[in-house]
Amino acid sequence: MVAVRLRPIGTVDDRIRRRTKIAPPRPPAATVEEGMGSFHERMIDESLTSRYSDWIVEALDELPDNFLITDPGISGHPIVFASRGFLAMSGYAREEVVGRNGRIFQGPATERRSVMEIREAIREERTLQISLLNYRKDGTPHWILFHLCPVFGMEDGRVIHFVAVQVPIPRRSRCARSGANGMVYGACRNEVRLDDDYACNLAVDSVIDMDNKALEAEESRKASVWEKEKASNAANSILSTLTHYSKLTGRVVCTKRCSSAGIAPLSSSLNISLGRIKQSFVLTDPHLPDMPIVYANDEFLSLTGYSRHEVLGRNCRFLNGPGTDAGVLHQIKDCILAEQACSVRLLNYRKDGSSFWNRLHISPVRNASGKIAFYVGVQMDENSKCDEHGLSPEMRQLGAVGQVKVAVRSFSSRAGPSRPSS
Amino acid sequence: MLTIKRVPTVLSNYQEEDAEPLGCGRNCLGNCCLPVSKLPLYAFKRDSTSASGSSSNSEDPSPNFFLQSLVLREWEDRMSQGLFRYDVTACETKVIPGELGFIAQLNEGRHLKKRPTEFRVDRVLQPFDSNKFNFTKVGQEEVLFRFEAGGDTRSHFFESAPVGATEPPNVVAINVSPIEYGHVLLIPRVLECLPQRNDHESFLLALNMAAEAGSPYFRLGYNSLGAFATINHLHFQAYYLAMPFPVEKAPTRRIPIKGRSESGVKVSELLNYPVRGLVFKGGNTLKDLSDVVASSCISLEENNIPFNVLISDSGRRIFLFPQCYAEKQALGQVSQELLDTQVNPAVWEISGHMVLKRKKDFEEASEAYAWRLLSEVSLSEERFRKVKAYIFDAISLVESEEEIDANENKGTLLQASLLATHFDERCRVLQ
């Protein structure tokens, strides 16, 4: 191991702030969208225990590895657990880390590319192993192998948590380098060889002691097979711990996406985007038999009085009743067959039997392939007034349609096979 | 009972050879109609923080949902009115596997007619010609809203406000041949009939729009004449695409300067990207950043160098690409194979979002092709150095020799050097 000269240069945050003049971040609890700060905090506190039981923190504390657990379902994608090993490695106290987003460990010399790869892996909900330059609390940088993996809920296939394991990658001196990872980082193309003898890392010459500048100047540091295995093993033991404890609450998790409801789950990032639309709507899947609802937002549930599990997987016709005009229903059917948008007005019924005039706008929604992936149905109770912006309900409906279209189109255009990492 | 609304396509299609004004009473954007009309008005707040001083630290900085949903709902409304030449959401899009992740779209409908060469391709500055197509001839149904400085600390929206004759209105209109859902045009001071030429006030307006939208996925772009702008009436383009552009992932190297930059703006060079370009960021205020970039553009215009600009990261990073593809085309220096794909590399293509017309090109699209095409767009190293010097001169900065502290994104030089080796032969610029 190399000795790293530590310089007292303040926290990572201070460094970043000094260089880029960003105002200090507000504590996550104070975001306007969340309303009361304590609600947000409670969500973070309960994130683990509600799914894995109260015993989980103890169980995770017994694992020796450096890792974090994050919850993508909470705004800001905060850390909900940091292992003892992680805290020791990074120099932070638990309360300084829980509730924050993982980017606080990044710093000025952290590769933008790597950060973006991590972000995309999160969006695509897949596993990723990548070398990363992170910063400790005292501001010193260090290289780690970052291993990310999603944890899926067995029932609905949604991503419940992400586990992020960190394994430090030590700098290898020339003689210690084995043939297996003899890749060389030369800026001169002629020197890119697999042969160890010509090892020429231009950024780090024969300096044994590396100071922060040298660490930051190092373009990349490759992890060895040993570190990769260590990371994978750690991830496996964490995942099996989580899976085991999730059985205690009945809200079982698994490592691969699987859904017992028969409905293909929407990706976490699509869910989050759709969740921002404050207008009652549902997504239905025309490729499944009887075109069932595959997504229903909270506004729809409060408008109709049903709970989510009562509507997912069912066709919208449960909203119809004796007073619903059959002609309008035919009209809707024709539009869907013609793959057209339409606006209709029909009498619908809530769960409690009360009725309301529903201004319904239906539109096909295509994904990146250009083909129709869903139909969106935006409902509006005719009695609802204009909102404070003076927007007519019709325009708000179109706003919801537009946002749904952008979200669905954007989140399905990822490349097929993932790029090689680390 | 409402039924399907279908309105025949309005003929304000500026791809056509001659778009003759149908006379007044057409509710156009000319002096005849606009000042007496009413339009939705979005008045953005006065910027109190610097470009880099945004208080949002989150990975997904909370976008201004109001502005976003305003653009999208108006857009969806125009779609239901049939104002677009085709449904862009029916165009297949994919990310090409590779290091940079170029985005390709198959759009067979976008270029149904061969674009008329309305301008000389060798002059960046050409006077406004009211006989040629311009935005005053566009119908008001294509306008979504006005975008004006509010002069207040909060933004305001008015569903319908009289335009009046005192202040020249800036309008946001649809692009009838969109390359993405929500593709709009920002037309500063439409009635003044400014040619496609930069000025500080207009650039600041564009930057404000990016900052106001607050989403790194809502970007603005500018094409100069000679760099594939098709209309000689000052306009910026914008659309929303929720994924990073290849150019945004490319590493950069800060250009060290002598002394301090008064404006606080930092200039970097793009590395390991097929098109050479400069990246501007920082600035004590948004206006400082805007002025520096606008001055840089103006210096290029004055030196007759075509260029494209990408405003990214909610207005925090601005890319400037001088280019020479049109010149090469005219001199017959571009390979027929590339010409056959009929891609005119404007700002979106250069940034990594390519619209392909033929199914074959789309299916075979590869990072190598994108790299090959964009390499032809780039200035040579030597020419780029000269251009850099013009720009630095215009913004009163002097490049220095020393290496500066690592405050720059290193990128992955290993992969980059391998990539460069692989593409070496194809990258050679014909200058």
Side-chain angles (χ1 to χ4, degrees), chain B residues 166-202:
Chain B
T166 43
E167 240 183 74
N170 312 312
V171 298
V172 175
I174 55 171
N175 184 336
V176 297
S177 303
I179 70 171
E180 223 0 282
Y181 190 90
H183 192 173
V184 294
L185 305 170
L186 171 67
I187 307 160
R189 309 197 302 287
V190 58
L191 292 176
E192 284 184 18
C193 292
L194 304 165
Q196 185 73 343
R197 173 182 191 153
N198 264 288
D199 63 83
H200 292 87
E201 195 183 328
S202 303

Side-chain angles (χ1 to χ4, degrees), chain A residues 51-107:
Chain A
R51 182 154 289 255
Y52 309 112
S53 90
D54 290 338
W55 310 110
I56 189 63
V57 176
E58 236 182 82
L60 292 173
D61 261 339
E62 283 176 18
L63 299 171
D65 319 288
N66 310 338
F67 65 96
L68 299 170
I69 300 182
T70 63
D71 189 336
I74 301 178
S75 166
H77 195 167
I79 295 166
V80 295
F81 180 84
S83 76
R84 286 178 298 117
F86 177 86
L87 297 173
M89 175 185 75
S90 63
Y92 284 93
R94 185 161 277 173
E95 56 272 13
E96 291 172 321
V97 167
V98 170
R100 311 286 300 278
N101 181 283
R103 81 177 69 83
I104 59 172
F105 308 112
Q106 294 154 19

Side-chain angles (χ1 to χ4, degrees), chain A residues 19-26 33 76-77 101 103 108-114 116-117 119-120 122-123 183-187 189 192 213 216-220 222 276 325 328 331 335 340-345 359 361 363 366-371 389-392 394-403 405-406 409-417 419-420 422, chain B residues 1-4 6 50 52-60 62-63 65-66 68-70 72-74 76-80 87-101 105 157 159 179-182 216-217 240-245 247-252 260 264 266 281 284 317 405-415 417-418 420-421 424:
Chain A
R19 290 187 197 227
T20 57
K21 304 191 185 77
I22 294 176
R26 288 179 298 177
E33 273 182 303
H77 195 167
N101 181 283
R103 81 177 69 83
T110 305
E111 290 170 5
R112 184 183 301 128
R113 254 283 282 287
S114 309
M116 282 176 141
E117 280 207 50
R119 196 189 302 184
E120 290 195 47
I122 290 173
R123 278 186 189 280
M183 285 296 261
V184 172
Y185 320 125
R189 292 190 277 266
V192 175
K213 276 216 171 106
E216 289 179 324
E218 207 176 314
E219 289 96 17
S220 170
K222 202 162 161 71
R276 293 197 187 114
D325 188 325
V328 173
Q331 205 177 349
C335 281
Q340 305 278 4
C342 67
S343 283
V344 297
R345 176 179 177 266
R359 294 222 156 186
H361 180 96
S363 185
R366 296 167 186 274
N367 62 15
S369 72
K371 304 198 175 54
H389 291 293
L391 281 180
S392 66
E394 286 82 21
M395 287 312 264
R396 276 164 60 205
Q397 282 190 311
L398 290 181
V401 172
Q403 290 184 71
K405 285 189 174 180
V406 167
R409 185 166 161 77
S410 300
F411 290 112
S412 42
S413 336
R414 304 295 174 212
R419 292 186 285 283
S422 161
Chain B
M1 214 172 299
L2 297 177
T3 53
I4 310 167
R6 294 286 228 103
S50 73
S52 58
S54 157
S55 58
S56 136
N57 265 337
S58 46
E59 192 177 284
D60 252 332
S62 90
F65 289 110
F66 184 76
Q68 194 179 308
S69 91
L70 169 63
L72 294 179
R73 75 157 186 266
E74 295 293 331
E76 179 68 21
D77 175 62
R78 303 308 186 273
M79 263 205 58
S80 68
D87 180 359
V88 70
T89 65
C91 298
E92 193 181 341
T93 299
K94 68 179 183 188
V95 174
I96 300 172
E99 289 301 322
L100 287 172
Q105 181 188 105
F157 177 70
E159 183 89 36
I179 70 171
E180 223 0 282
Y181 190 90
Y217 301 123
Y240 183 89
L241 184 68
M243 61 181 87
F245 277 171
V247 76
E248 292 169 336
K249 293 194 263 195
T252 54
R260 284 185 59 85
K266 305 179 181 67
K281 64 179 189 183
N284 303 320
R317 290 217 299 163
D405 200 5
N407 190 19
E408 202 52 43
N409 194 297
K410 286 289 179 286
T412 51
L413 279 187
L414 164 66
Q415 286 138 314
S417 64
L418 288 179
T421 315
D424 212 19

